[in-house]
Amino acid sequence: MAKELLSLDNGTACSSWNYSGMRLATGSTDGTLSIFDFRDPASSNSLRFTFKTKVHEGNIVKIVWVPPEYGDAVACVSADGIVSLLEEIVEDSQPLQWKIRKTFGSNESKVLDVQFGISFTRLKMVAAYSDGHVRVFELLDPLELTNWQLQAEFQNLVESVSSFGKALCLSASISLNPQKCGSQEFSFLVSFNSDTPELNSSKVWEFDQAHRRWLPVAELALPEDKGDQVYAVAWAPNIGRLYEVIAVSTHKGLAIWHLGLNPDHNGRLPVDKVALLSGHEGLVWQMEWDMSGMTLATTGDDGMVRLWQSNLNGVWHQQAAFEPTS
């Protein structure tokens, strides 16, 4: 029988577990970040409140933990497009405090989503902006989270030359390849919900070492789908598969894609849309794979949490559904 670990305030807008699953960060509609820890890590039976701080004036819509190699730190994305990077620090004999170390974004160019990855032992942050641009930042000093450098900036386009004006993007979704992090250059998937069709479709980006630039190596969209607005993407962990599995949410449903590992002569990776799932009433806004990359959890407008799996014949189906509780 499931046991309640914690009751969150009504104003809680988002939450995120750290990499070990022992700390929970929550963001509220009034811009407050709260941190909770397990009372007894050995038994993991209850959470206790440990810190609260005001980060933004408005709603915190997403929290992303920094990889644990770089300490205890989170990025809080606000509804007004500002990202605040906070770190837990100790000053003299004072209790642990969470303090803002860096902010990203502005009123003209709002941050919609961020993700962190490690490449060649360097911490990098990928950020998607409301003008349709993707920016990759690199941390210059692993001991100082204030010192970031812009490494690259580009639009989410297959063609290198754009033929449209300034884009207006309402949301964006980034998902890093879980396998390509650490001692090699990572790759990532990004898509937009915008008024510019060319930006919307999910595209996989890899760094071209020879020319020192990021290149799109795959586009997860059929010809008739390329202008569809994308609401969420999720790249599955790969344990022994000969292809990658990626989930993409649009107004047409939840698409499951296979991404090949061997590029063609143009450097493009083969893609195959293997399923289009329906079941949610409304749009799917959040998706998360389990550690094995076998089960996908989704939630959206209907407030339901649904679990999806593929059977031995490769046919995807809904495994379970959970009703929201009051």
Side-chain angles (χ1 to χ4, degrees):
M1 182 177 179
K3 178 183 178 180
E4 182 179 295
L5 293 176
L6 179 71
S7 292
L8 299 175
D9 296 336
N10 290 334
T12 302
C14 60
S15 62
S16 179
W17 292 97
N18 71 347
Y19 284 74
S20 66
M22 302 306 296
R23 309 191 85 176
L24 177 69
T26 66
S28 68
T29 54
D30 66 356
T32 299
L33 170 71
S34 299
I35 304 295
F36 300 86
D37 292 275
F38 278 109
R39 296 179 186 274
D40 182 4
S43 60
S44 301
N45 56 8
S46 61
L47 285 162
R48 62 185 175 91
F49 166 77
T50 56
F51 192 77
K52 178 182 290 187
T53 185
K54 183 82 168 181
V55 179
H56 297 287
E57 291 302 320
N59 187 9
I60 296 177
V61 297
K62 187 170 186 176
I63 297 174
V64 182
W65 286 86
V66 173
E69 296 92 327
Y70 294 85
D72 288 305
V74 295
C76 296
V77 184
S78 69
D80 58 6
I82 302 298
V83 173
S84 295
L85 183 62
L86 292 92
E87 182 182 19
E88 185 182 51
I89 60 175
V90 179
E91 292 181 343
D92 299 327
S93 60
Q94 299 297 317
L96 292 174
Q97 300 285 319
W98 287 78
K99 292 192 175 182
I100 295 177
R101 311 297 282 169
K102 183 73 173 180
T103 58
F104 300 85
S106 64
N107 291 331
E108 294 77 24
S109 186
K110 300 178 180 179
V111 181
L112 301 176
D113 194 15
V114 297
Q115 290 293 332
F116 294 95
I118 300 175
S119 175
F120 296 106
T121 70
R122 290 291 188 102
L123 178 64
K124 295 187 179 182
M125 184 182 80
V126 182
Y129 285 73
S130 59
D131 59 2
H133 282 79
V134 179
R135 295 179 176 91
V136 181
F137 298 89
E138 184 177 277
L139 184 66
L140 298 181
D141 184 350
L143 300 178
E144 185 55 69
L145 288 179
T146 62
N147 196 5
W148 293 82
Q149 181 181 59
L150 179 63
Q151 182 200 53
E153 179 178 0
F154 50 87
Q155 289 183 301
N156 192 40
L157 299 168
V158 174
E159 302 297 333
S160 59
V161 179
S162 62
S163 59
F164 52 84
K166 184 177 180 180
L168 175 61
C169 303
L170 301 179
S171 64
S173 187
I174 304 169
S175 186
L176 270 60
N177 181 347
Q179 266 53 56
K180 284 199 171 182
C181 284
S183 61
Q184 56 183 325
E185 189 69 63
F186 68 87
S187 57
F188 61 88
L189 178 75
V190 63
S191 56
F192 285 91
N193 165 18
S194 79
D195 62 354
T196 304
E198 293 90 340
L199 295 173
N200 290 336
S201 62
S202 302
K203 302 173 184 71
V204 177
W205 292 85
E206 288 188 354
F207 191 73
D208 180 7
Q209 289 285 356
H211 299 91
R212 306 296 299 171
R213 60 177 179 171
W214 288 89
L215 294 176
V217 295
E219 184 174 15
L220 305 184
L222 299 176
E224 62 270 21
D225 301 331
K226 288 190 176 183
D228 292 347
Q229 295 167 327
V230 178
Y231 304 105
V233 296
W235 196 316
N238 188 350
I239 303 179
R241 285 191 298 260
L242 299 179
Y243 52 85
E244 304 289 348
V245 177
I246 296 173
V248 178
S249 167
T250 70
H251 72 278
K252 295 177 181 176
L254 177 61
I256 304 295
W257 290 83
H258 287 179
L259 176 69
L261 304 180
N262 299 314
D264 61 18
H265 64 280
N266 292 320
R268 297 297 178 89
L269 298 174
V271 298
D272 183 22
K273 185 177 180 180
V274 298
L276 182 62
L277 307 174
S278 60
H280 281 281
E281 296 179 7
L283 301 175
V284 172
W285 289 98
Q286 288 184 298
M287 302 189 293
E288 192 78 28
W289 291 95
D290 70 345
M291 294 180 64
S292 68
M294 303 295 290
T295 302
L296 176 69
T298 62
T299 188
D301 289 339
D302 60 4
M304 295 285 293
V305 175
R306 302 181 188 274
L307 303 182
W308 308 87
Q309 289 182 343
S310 170
N311 63 22
L312 295 178
N313 296 320
V315 178
W316 284 85
H317 62 282
Q318 180 177 289
Q319 182 71 16
F322 302 92
E323 294 277 0
T325 57
S326 58

